[in-house]
Amino acid sequence: MEPPVPIGLVTRNGFYLADRLRGVVIPAFRTYANFVVPEALSAFGDIERRADEVTKQTFQQSCIQAVGEDYSGDMGAEAEKAFDAGLAFYELMSDFRQATSNLLAVGLYHLFEQQLADLTTDGLFRGLPSLQDGKLSMIRSWFQKNIGIDLAQ
C-alpha cells in the first residue's frame, strides 16, 4: 500500500504517464523521425548522380582545354583525372552524410534525455519530489527506483 499523498500535491499515476507519452513524447520522436532526419539527409540523396556530373564536367573542361594543334596529351589520362574528381566528390559527400547521420543520432539521444527529464520535472510521481538534475544517469536511477522502469534495457 502506498503512503498517503500530502494534501495539495498532485499524484501522477500510470494513466498520466501514458497520456504524457502519447501526447508529448511520442509526437516529438515522430516529428524528429518524419521531418528532421529526412530534411537533414535530403542533401545526400543523389550523390551518385552528382558525382557523375562532376566527372562529366571535369572531362568536358579537359576537352575544351585540349583543343588546339599544340595538344599532345592523352585523352585517356584526362578521363582518368575526371573520374578521380568525381570519385573524390562522392567520397567527400559520403563522409558528410555519415557525419550528419552521427549528429542526428546525438540529437536523438538528447531529445530522449530531455523528454525523460521533462517527465520527472512537470509534477510529482507517487508523491515524490521531481528530479531537478537532467543528467541521464540520475534520470535512469530515478525511473528505476521510483517508477520501476529500467531504462538501461
Side-chain angles (χ1 to χ4, degrees):
M1 180 166 188
E2 290 188 27
V5 177
I7 296 174
L9 293 179
V10 179
T11 60
R12 305 295 188 203
N13 59 25
F15 292 115
Y16 172 78
L17 185 58
D19 186 57
R20 277 298 308 269
L21 289 172
R22 271 190 296 254
V24 177
V25 176
I26 292 173
F29 285 103
R30 283 193 178 132
T31 299
Y32 194 82
N34 295 334
F35 297 103
V36 174
V37 172
E39 287 295 319
L41 294 178
S42 66
F44 307 104
D46 61 349
I47 60 174
E48 295 87 1
R49 180 189 58 77
R50 290 166 52 197
D52 288 342
E53 287 176 12
V54 168
T55 300
K56 288 176 188 173
Q57 289 173 356
T58 304
F59 185 70
Q60 287 173 352
Q61 287 292 75
S62 296
C63 290
I64 290 169
Q65 293 171 358
V67 172
E69 295 176 20
D70 297 335
Y71 180 73
S72 61
D74 177 15
M75 289 309 286
E78 299 299 328
E80 191 173 324
K81 285 180 189 176
F83 175 81
D84 289 345
L87 180 60
F89 175 85
Y90 178 85
E91 289 175 341
L92 183 63
M93 291 300 288
S94 183
D95 289 346
F96 286 152
R97 178 178 48 199
Q98 184 61 54
T100 303
S101 295
N102 293 346
L103 288 171
L104 290 168
V106 170
L108 181 61
Y109 176 81
H110 286 296
L111 177 63
F112 177 72
E113 248 181 347
Q114 291 166 353
Q115 294 299 321
L116 287 178
D118 286 349
L119 282 174
T120 63
T121 59
D122 72 340
L124 302 176
F125 287 93
R126 299 180 187 175
L128 298 169
S130 64
L131 178 62
Q132 298 301 318
D133 188 349
K135 292 183 180 173
L136 188 57
S137 60
M138 300 208 46
I139 293 169
R140 257 191 216 132
S141 63
W142 191 94
F143 268 78
Q144 178 68 41
K145 178 182 172 191
N146 298 307
I147 302 179
I149 296 175
D150 185 1
L151 297 175
Q153 294 186 5

